[in-house]
Amino acid sequence: MDSNIIILIAASAIALIAGAVVTWLILKNQKVEHEQVAQEKAAVILKEAESKAELIKKDKMMEAKERFFQLKTEHEKSVAEKDRKIQETEARLKQKENTLNQKLEQSQRKQTELDQLQNNIKTQIQGIELRKEELDKIHQKQVTQLEKISGLSAQDAKAQLIETLKAEAKTEAHSYIKEIIDEAKLTANKEAKRIVIQTIQRVATEQAIENSVTVFNIDNDDVKGRVIGREGRNIRALEAATGIEIIVDDTPEAIILSGFDPIRRELARLALHQLVTDGRIHPARIEEVVAKVKKQLEEEIIEVGKRTTIDLGIHGLAPELIRMVGRMKYRSSYGQNLLQHSREVANLCAIMAAELGLNVKLAKRAGLLHDIGKVPDDEPELPHAILGMKMAEKHKENPEVCNAIGAHHDEIEMTSLISPIIQVCDAISGARPGARREVVEQYIKRLKDLEALALSYKGVEKSYAIQAGRELRVVVESEKMDDKATEALSFEIAQRIQTEMTYPGQVKVTVIRETRAVNYAK
């Protein structure tokens, strides 16, 4: 049994080995066949690739040849075009050369003609001089004969003639001036009025409310004692630190701050407000608070200047000029706030410049800066217009702006069209009703000066300043002056008022001459 099993096992093993060998032989044959097939495929693919590469090479060669021929053709065209342009240029140059030769020939002919003409003129001048000498001799003979006939020398006759002609010319000149002025008023007055009225109507204005006194309101009168301090030390320290007179009297719930410098008054008001609010009032505290408020006030001045320039659309202003604009808020002129006045003038100038077709931004800039000479840090002995012009020049402002600032009160000559606009708008802003306060004594003195100026002329019987000094009526004696003389008198008085007096707006001069015929029925 065991041997049969072993035989079976051996037979099975031999069969397995034989199967494995057969399988290996089969696989080996298949591998060889696959390699052969692969080699054949590779050879076919290689041949196809070589043929395709050959075709591609031929195509590229053809394209390169075509591109070469195309570039060659284009180059030949460009060369031909350049040759054509060169030929045209040469033709033009030849034509110009011919033209210049013709002009040169013409100029030579004209020079020859001119020389001939000069010779003729010299000959004629010589003939004229000879004739003039002859005429002078004849004229001298006639003058001598006239002197013998009239009994007057030539100088005496000339003097009488000059006096007669002078009187006639003066009368005719006044009439002629009046006619010219009336004609100018008819043609220009309407348009000027339209521009000025439109400018005034488009700008909102405020009335003057500035004073030299500020009233500081308090809750109760007990604060007055603390402000005065022991033996008045607090009020003395406050006055010394601010430069303002502080008046503590019987006025209920009020302390008066008196001073001509509005910036100092504002400094004293703000410092007093902080001291009263805090409750600690003593000399050391007063000095500390005043120094702090002074710094805050300087910052506020700069901020006001910046805000003003931004509101008006003015850019590129020097920092020092911006600070001067801010200081205007605390200054006044005849009771009119200077900053409000300058803003008003700037807006008026912009509108008027736009109507006249001028530079609006430049006019607005000059209008804002025209009074910066009124707010300097020091007090130089110069008119404010000249001082403002020098400040603007120092900070590299436009020359037209500098001239407008310096010329708005006629201290210097106007050199640009913006300058008279600044002058007119400054007068509009300052002369409008309610713009400025005027001391009663100055007002009365101005009216008396107007009347006295008119009475200084011979033949004036009476004079009346009416309409707040805006019209002067002059009554003349009819026996001593005729109608033409009244016209001349009106013109002369107006010119003297314009050159010798200071007044707001304009003054109308009316000369009245009347003839009365009186009879009595008995």
Side-chain angles (χ1 to χ4, degrees):
M1 272 311 278
D2 294 331
S3 60
N4 292 329
I5 295 168
I6 290 169
I7 291 168
L8 290 170
I9 292 170
S12 298
I14 291 167
L16 289 172
I17 290 168
V21 172
V22 172
T23 303
W24 179 78
L25 290 172
I26 293 168
L27 290 173
K28 186 177 180 181
N29 291 331
Q30 290 179 351
K31 181 179 180 183
V32 172
E33 291 175 357
H34 283 306
E35 288 177 355
Q36 291 176 353
V37 172
Q39 289 177 355
E40 292 174 357
K41 288 183 177 179
V44 172
I45 291 170
L46 184 60
K47 287 181 181 180
E48 291 177 355
E50 288 177 353
S51 63
K52 288 182 178 179
E54 189 66 26
L55 290 173
I56 292 170
K57 182 179 178 182
K58 290 180 179 179
D59 292 340
K60 293 298 181 183
M61 287 293 291
M62 291 296 292
E63 290 178 0
K65 288 181 180 179
E66 290 177 357
R67 180 62 178 164
F68 172 75
F69 285 122
Q70 184 180 357
L71 292 174
K72 184 179 179 183
T73 304
E74 291 177 356
H75 176 68
E76 290 175 352
K77 287 182 179 178
S78 64
V79 170
E81 182 67 21
K82 288 180 180 177
D83 291 340
R84 186 181 62 79
K85 289 182 178 178
I86 290 171
Q87 291 175 358
E88 290 178 355
T89 305
E90 289 178 351
R92 285 199 299 270
L93 290 174
K94 287 181 180 179
Q95 186 178 359
K96 287 182 179 178
E97 185 178 358
N98 294 331
T99 305
L100 288 174
N101 291 331
Q102 292 175 0
K103 288 184 177 179
L104 182 60
E105 292 175 358
Q106 290 177 0
S107 64
Q108 290 175 351
R109 285 198 302 270
K110 288 183 178 179
Q111 184 65 35
T112 305
E113 293 174 358
L114 184 61
D115 292 338
Q116 294 176 356
L117 184 61
Q118 286 179 348
N119 293 329
N120 294 334
I121 290 172
K122 287 180 181 178
T123 306
Q124 290 177 1
I125 289 173
Q126 292 175 356
I128 291 171
E129 288 177 352
L130 292 173
R131 291 178 184 175
K132 185 178 179 183
E133 290 177 359
E134 294 176 359
L135 289 173
D136 289 339
K137 291 177 181 179
I138 295 171
H139 176 70
Q140 189 63 34
K141 290 180 180 179
Q142 291 177 347
V143 169
T144 305
Q145 291 177 358
L146 287 172
E147 287 178 353
K148 290 179 180 179
I149 294 170
S150 63
L152 292 173
S153 66
Q155 295 296 329
D156 294 338
K158 188 185 294 183
Q160 289 183 4
L161 181 62
I162 288 172
E163 289 297 325
T164 304
L165 292 175
K166 188 186 293 185
E168 293 179 359
K170 188 175 182 181
T171 304
E172 291 180 1
H174 283 300
S175 301
Y176 186 60
I177 290 171
K178 186 176 182 301
E179 290 176 2
I180 292 175
I181 292 174
D182 292 341
E183 185 178 356
K185 286 180 179 179
L186 288 174
T187 56
N189 204 25
K190 185 177 181 181
E191 183 65 17
K193 282 181 179 179
R194 183 190 68 80
I195 293 174
V196 172
I197 291 171
Q198 185 178 9
T199 303
I200 294 171
Q201 289 175 343
R202 287 174 60 182
V203 176
T205 56
E206 298 179 0
Q207 291 190 350
I209 56 172
E210 295 292 325
N211 295 302
S212 61
V213 172
T214 299
V215 178
F216 178 73
N217 296 312
I218 55 179
D219 295 334
N220 55 69
D221 289 341
D222 295 338
V223 177
K224 293 182 179 180
R226 285 191 288 142
V227 170
I228 296 172
R230 183 179 300 174
E231 298 178 356
R233 63 176 187 172
N234 290 346
I235 193 169
R236 285 198 301 273
L238 193 56
E239 287 179 344
T242 60
I244 292 299
E245 182 183 1
I246 300 174
I247 302 172
V248 181
D249 53 14
D250 295 335
T251 305
E253 298 181 353
I255 296 175
I256 298 173
L257 309 176
S258 177
F260 289 101
D261 191 338
I263 296 179
R264 291 182 182 177
R265 289 207 311 273
E266 182 67 10
L267 175 64
R269 187 187 70 79
L270 294 174
L272 197 58
H273 176 73
Q274 285 199 15
L275 290 168
V276 171
T277 304
D278 184 51
R280 294 177 294 165
I281 306 177
H282 52 83
R285 176 65 177 165
I286 288 171
E287 292 179 359
E288 178 186 349
V289 169
V290 169
K292 183 179 178 182
V293 170
K294 189 174 183 180
K295 184 178 179 182
Q296 292 175 352
L297 193 58
E298 284 293 328
E299 293 175 354
E300 184 181 352
I301 285 172
I302 295 173
E303 182 62 28
V304 168
K306 289 181 179 178
R307 191 164 57 248
T308 301
T309 56
I310 291 171
D311 291 345
L312 293 174
I314 297 173
H315 305 288
L317 209 61
E320 182 63 22
L321 294 181
I322 291 176
R323 191 173 73 86
M324 290 297 173
V325 171
R327 285 172 66 89
M328 290 182 185
K329 178 181 177 182
Y330 302 100
R331 294 281 182 178
S332 61
S333 177
Y334 297 96
Q336 187 179 23
N337 182 271
L338 195 58
L339 180 60
Q340 293 298 329
H341 166 66
S342 297
R343 289 174 65 109
E344 186 178 332
V345 171
N347 288 322
L348 289 167
C349 291
I351 295 169
M352 197 168 287
E355 290 290 334
L356 297 173
L358 300 177
N359 190 326
V360 175
K361 291 185 177 180
L362 212 60
K364 188 181 289 187
R365 196 182 191 95
L368 177 64
L369 299 178
H370 80 283
D371 270 346
I372 56 170
K374 291 184 178 180
V375 287
D377 293 324
D378 51 359
E379 297 293 338
E381 297 296 328
L382 283 174
H384 76 274
I386 302 298
L387 180 60
M389 180 185 69
K390 291 184 178 296
M391 292 169 64
E393 289 175 346
K394 178 182 176 182
H395 295 287
K396 305 293 187 295
E397 277 295 320
N398 188 293
E400 292 188 17
V401 174
C402 297
N403 180 259
I405 295 171
H408 79 277
H409 284 313
D410 293 323
E411 275 88 359
I412 63 172
E413 184 180 356
M414 296 182 182
T415 59
S416 70
L417 290 175
I418 294 177
S419 300
I421 292 178
I422 303 300
Q423 189 178 52
V424 168
C425 294
D426 182 40
I428 291 172
S429 176
R432 62 177 174 78
R436 295 180 174 181
R437 288 184 294 104
E438 189 173 19
V439 179
V440 176
E441 290 81 1
Q442 295 178 350
Y443 170 73
I444 294 173
K445 183 177 181 300
R446 182 160 59 85
L447 298 185
K448 288 182 177 179
D449 290 343
L450 279 173
E451 294 178 351
L453 187 146
L455 290 170
S456 65
Y457 286 90
K458 293 181 179 180
V460 175
E461 183 178 0
K462 297 175 183 178
S463 66
Y464 303 98
I466 61 176
Q467 293 185 9
R470 285 179 169 80
E471 183 177 354
L472 178 65
R473 291 189 178 175
V474 182
V475 180
V476 298
E477 299 177 11
S478 59
E479 296 83 5
K480 295 182 179 180
M481 301 185 74
D482 57 9
D483 291 339
K484 290 187 177 180
T486 58
E487 293 179 3
L489 178 64
S490 174
F491 180 76
E492 290 179 10
I493 292 175
Q495 292 299 311
R496 280 193 61 188
I497 292 172
Q498 186 172 335
T499 55
E500 298 178 10
M501 300 187 66
T502 302
Y503 54 91
Q506 64 180 13
V507 178
K508 179 182 178 182
V509 180
T510 304
V511 177
I512 301 171
R513 174 182 178 272
E514 62 176 359
T515 303
R516 296 186 183 183
V518 181
N519 287 293
Y520 296 94
K522 297 181 181 179

